[in-house]
Amino acid sequence: MTVVDLTGNDFKKIYFPKYHEFQDVTEDMVKDAKHCSDTFHDFLVNNRFLSSVSCFRVYDNDLFSFYKQAERCLKSGRISSLDIYSQWVAICGSSMICYRFLTT
């Protein structure tokens, strides 16, 4: 996809984890977060324009942090949504800025 081809809805559908607030951490959720993080990072690295926009770099970091925290929690048996809440809030905030950028 080029920058012209990426819509706000595509961004949400492809690169935003299928996690719902206050959902316990599950293996499927961690796999989905990893997939979103890996594919978004690859997309960003290969898109010169979007990689130069700071909100997309922030989202990339926030998404990776969410995935890694969820993975650590799952491995240690801490599956409460409270253990990943701060990372979830971060990706929600940074994703909204990216979404606004793509829809204006």
Side-chain angles (χ1 to χ4, degrees):
M1 278 186 181
T2 65
V3 67
V4 176
D5 294 335
L6 184 62
T7 67
N9 288 334
D10 288 340
F11 172 76
K12 287 191 321 184
K13 187 178 356 174
I14 299 169
Y15 301 120
F16 194 77
K18 293 167 185 60
Y19 173 78
H20 300 285
E21 197 167 59
F22 304 117
Q23 172 187 346
D24 285 343
V25 178
T26 66
E27 187 175 333
D28 287 340
M29 186 273 293
V30 172
K31 285 179 185 178
D32 179 64
K34 179 182 182 350
H35 174 75
C36 289
S37 179
D38 290 348
T39 56
F40 184 73
H41 184 75
D42 289 345
F43 172 76
L44 192 62
V45 166
N46 292 306
N47 188 306
R48 293 184 117 197
F49 177 72
L50 289 182
S51 64
S52 70
V53 179
S54 63
C55 67
F56 290 97
R57 291 191 314 271
V58 169
Y59 180 72
D60 187 38
N61 290 330
D62 288 345
L63 183 56
F64 181 75
S65 294
F66 174 74
Y67 151 63
K68 290 307 284 183
Q69 179 64 15
E71 181 182 59
R72 282 190 293 272
C73 287
L74 187 63
K75 285 181 179 178
S76 69
R78 295 179 304 140
I79 61 168
S80 169
S81 62
L82 296 176
D83 293 319
I84 59 172
Y85 186 73
S86 61
Q87 287 79 19
W88 177 248
V89 169
I91 67 168
C92 288
S94 60
S95 72
M96 288 304 299
I97 296 167
C98 294
Y99 180 79
R100 285 186 200 130
F101 180 89
L102 292 169
T103 58
T104 56

